[in-house]
Amino acid sequence: MPETLFRNVRLLDLQAHDGLTAPCDLLVRDGRIAEIGAPQPAPDAAVVEGRGDLLMPGLVNGHFHSSVNHMKGRLPSLPLEIFMLYECPELEVLRPTPREAYLRTMLGCIEMLKTGTTSVQDDCFFVPEPTPEIIDAVAQAYLDSGMRARLALDQPEVPELDKLPFLRDLLPCELRAPLEQPSPCPAPRLLELYDHLLGQWHGAEGGRLKAAVSCSAPQRVTPEYFAALDDLSQRHDLPFYAHMLETKLQRVYGEECLGGRSLVRYTADLGFLSERMNVIHAIWVDDADLDLIAQSGASVAHNPISNLRLGSGIMRWRDMLGRGIPLCLGVDEAIADDAINMWSVMKTAALVHTLDRPRYEDWPMAPEVLRAATEGGGRAMREPGLGTLGIGAPADLNLLDLSALPFVPLNNLPRQLVHCELGQSLRMTMVAGEIVTEKGRLLRVDEAALLEEAGALFAGKRAQMDRADAQVARYLPAYRAMYDMASARDVGLRRRLG
């Protein structure tokens, strides 16, 4: 790969008063930032004329589920436990083909790259269960698009009734039996599939695609499988994804099913809370939970739009940063956000916490939000330097037009990036030293052909999805009663305004 020289650019500098450096040149060599200032490129180097525009790190989508990219706009706002009934019903009729898995993954890649998200942590779930062919299709989409990605297999392996409080007693016998069945993909098979993911894809394309591990959530797996995943994470230095205390009902689960322990405490007691872990959501946490997370060095993945869309609550932003807990930002998934745009996530993160703390000095500051969306994501991905402009950092970069409307007049760059920009000012995106978008066009794939194919294919499945919704609706009364029982419980915390 030839060198690339970005000539006459201004670099994002969150330490500077105005948020950016004086004009300079930046040289990319072997997929990494090699020199900054006035470098002397090789004679065959490609030159990008910066025109005094902004060069900043690519955004990192720190938490994502690609499996439902094709379902954006399909569901109304619902509480998580009811939402999940309709999100991924485990019906054979909805089993995807490898091509469907490829196309739905590619839909997310296109949207992310065109708005400047260069890296993603895909906590991918597979309905009704993963297969090597479907895993390969998802991974291939990331490779073909040019994105940097971590891919995990988010697959529970305990029966549905073991994951939730109250439900066993609320369901009539004829509906209870299917939810008492074990997972169609038991732990030994899941570990075989992780062997496939690691052997086939971990480190592919010079490390642009790597594996991660996921338990989905601590209550959704057995302690034995949890331990096996932690061992994989340790041996291969992989991020470990775990949803914890996203909802009040999950807090109640700890009281009802874990002897009064929270899911954070339960994970710590098992010895699995570590600096490799991404604690996802972490809304219904108390001070003891936050202290445990801080002591472990784990990151928290904050998904503010999803949290609002599902009515889950408001995360404790300032309390986490005050304890030194690293934060990253995520979209979550297309039907819990309906757009896959990290600029919207940043703006929401900057605004929603004004409702949580009356002391306005505690409200998120634009540089904090930008750090979470860049270097915080790189830390969560366990990619040294990712999300920064340091020498030796991966060359995952966005070039933004400072003469575009969001920046005219330029009053405060960090605030205007967080509050004004939506990705429309992007001139160019680079991943691992390769330019992958330019002037709003993806350079590696035929976007128009992919969208045409995906549109026709998934439109043809709409009737099947409608039938699936009708089948799972019979469980709705019991799930609603479970949700109401948990909502009425006093857990000593208040993370919602209502």
Side-chain angles (χ1 to χ4, degrees):
M1 183 185 299
E3 296 179 350
T4 300
L5 179 71
F6 288 91
R7 178 180 289 156
N8 186 27
V9 290
R10 304 188 72 182
L11 308 182
L12 180 67
D13 182 357
L14 296 177
Q15 303 296 328
H17 174 71
D18 55 0
L20 71 175
T21 67
C24 64
D25 295 349
L26 182 144
L27 183 66
V28 172
R29 180 187 303 125
D30 297 327
R32 295 187 175 271
I33 297 172
E35 298 178 58
I36 297 173
Q40 297 300 312
D44 63 345
V47 177
V48 176
E49 294 295 344
R51 308 185 319 221
D53 284 336
L54 176 71
L55 193 66
M56 65 174 287
L59 303 178
V60 180
N61 185 354
H63 177 59
F64 188 56
H65 303 286
S66 66
S67 313
V68 285
N69 289 342
H70 61 299
M71 291 176 66
K72 54 193 173 188
R74 182 168 175 82
L75 296 179
S77 294
L78 293 166
L80 174 72
E81 290 76 20
I82 295 172
F83 171 87
M84 289 181 71
L85 270 176
Y86 297 93
E87 170 197 32
C88 52
E90 295 192 4
L91 303 177
E92 188 66 30
V93 69
L94 295 180
R95 181 185 292 272
T97 66
R99 186 60 180 174
E100 288 170 9
Y102 179 89
L103 287 171
R104 72 189 186 192
T105 307
M106 188 61 79
L107 288 174
C109 294
I110 291 169
E111 189 167 356
M112 285 187 278
L113 285 173
K114 291 186 73 167
T115 53
T117 295
T118 54
S119 300
V120 64
Q121 299 205 94
D122 189 356
D123 190 19
C124 191
F125 55 82
F126 300 81
V127 178
E129 76 272 345
T131 66
E133 296 76 18
I134 300 297
I135 293 168
D136 292 349
V138 172
Q140 191 66 54
Y142 283 120
L143 258 65
D144 290 352
S145 73
M147 284 202 75
R148 185 182 302 277
R150 286 274 191 176
L151 178 61
L153 312 181
D154 177 340
Q155 209 69 18
E157 44 93 45
V158 301
E160 178 75 0
L161 291 185
D162 291 345
K163 307 172 195 172
L164 298 162
F166 312 132
L167 193 58
R168 190 180 300 274
D169 294 332
L170 291 168
L171 281 166
C173 292
E174 67 273 14
L175 294 182
R176 190 185 310 144
L179 303 188
E180 292 176 322
Q181 299 303 309
S183 166
C185 200
R189 177 58 178 155
L190 285 171
L191 293 173
E192 290 176 1
L193 291 165
Y194 267 110
D195 287 343
H196 174 81
L197 174 64
L198 286 160
Q200 189 72 25
W201 297 104
H202 185 55
E205 289 282 311
R208 185 162 59 77
L209 180 63
K210 293 182 180 178
V213 300
S214 172
C215 67
S216 184
Q219 75 276 21
R220 298 173 188 160
V221 295
T222 60
E224 293 77 17
Y225 181 52
F226 206 168
L229 290 174
D230 186 65
D231 179 62
L232 269 180
S233 172
Q234 288 189 62
R235 283 192 285 119
H236 298 280
D237 192 27
L238 309 178
F240 194 151
Y241 307 149
H243 296 73
M244 292 193 214
L245 297 172
E246 180 177 357
T247 66
K248 186 178 181 181
L249 187 142
Q250 292 175 9
R251 189 87 203 177
V252 172
Y253 175 91
E255 294 183 353
E256 290 288 320
C257 306
L258 297 176
R261 291 179 294 174
S262 76
L263 289 166
V264 172
R265 168 60 69 182
Y266 171 72
T267 303
D269 287 349
L270 290 173
F272 304 147
L273 192 63
S274 76
E275 79 285 351
R276 288 170 279 106
M277 184 160 277
N278 285 207
V279 180
I280 303 163
H281 296 292
I283 298 169
W284 290 85
V285 290
D286 61 17
D287 287 348
D289 294 325
L290 291 182
D291 290 342
L292 287 170
I293 294 170
Q295 291 161 17
S296 73
S299 292
V300 167
H302 182 29
N303 306 273
I305 296 180
S306 171
N307 297 343
L308 291 172
R309 183 81 153 79
L310 306 183
S312 300
I314 301 175
M315 191 204 76
R316 298 174 62 181
W317 172 279
R318 184 57 57 201
D319 292 335
M320 291 186 185
L321 285 185
R323 286 171 167 81
I325 296 172
L327 299 180
C328 64
L329 296 179
V331 167
D332 200 348
E333 59 188 349
I335 50 172
D337 185 316
D338 301 293
I340 310 172
N341 188 318
M342 283 293 293
W343 301 97
S344 299
V345 171
M346 283 195 288
K347 183 169 185 172
T348 305
L351 296 176
V352 69
H353 298 284
T354 64
L355 303 176
D356 184 38
R357 302 285 286 249
R359 186 174 183 271
Y360 63 83
E361 291 87 355
D362 289 340
W363 295 350
M365 295 177 285
E368 295 175 330
V369 175
L370 285 163
R371 288 191 187 97
T374 52
E375 61 186 275
R379 185 192 186 283
M381 287 185 76
R382 302 189 70 72
E383 295 286 351
L386 183 65
T388 76
L389 296 177
I391 301 298
D396 293 11
L397 304 168
N398 286 332
L399 183 62
L400 275 74
D401 182 357
L402 288 181
S403 68
L405 190 59
F407 307 109
V408 179
L410 188 59
N411 296 307
N412 182 285
L413 177 65
R415 291 189 199 123
Q416 285 169 261
L417 286 169
V418 169
H419 293 281
C420 305
E421 178 61 35
L422 286 172
Q424 72 271 41
S425 307
L426 202 65
R427 285 182 53 194
M428 177 181 294
T429 294
M430 171 179 279
V431 181
E434 178 185 354
I435 296 171
V436 292
T437 74
E438 192 169 19
K439 298 179 181 177
R441 185 172 65 89
L442 273 72
L443 302 184
R444 276 177 149 252
V445 297
D446 186 339
E447 177 186 352
L450 287 165
L451 293 183
E452 182 179 5
E453 183 184 359
L457 191 154
F458 292 116
K461 293 182 72 73
R462 192 172 300 134
Q464 289 178 324
M465 291 191 283
D466 290 343
R467 287 196 295 272
D469 288 352
Q471 288 188 53
V472 299
R474 58 195 171 141
Y475 292 99
L476 183 57
Y479 275 75
R480 175 61 189 267
M482 173 185 66
Y483 169 77
D484 289 344
M485 290 172 68
S487 294
R489 177 73 65 88
D490 182 0
V491 296
L493 298 172
R494 190 161 179 252
R495 304 307 312 151
R496 292 194 305 212
L497 300 182

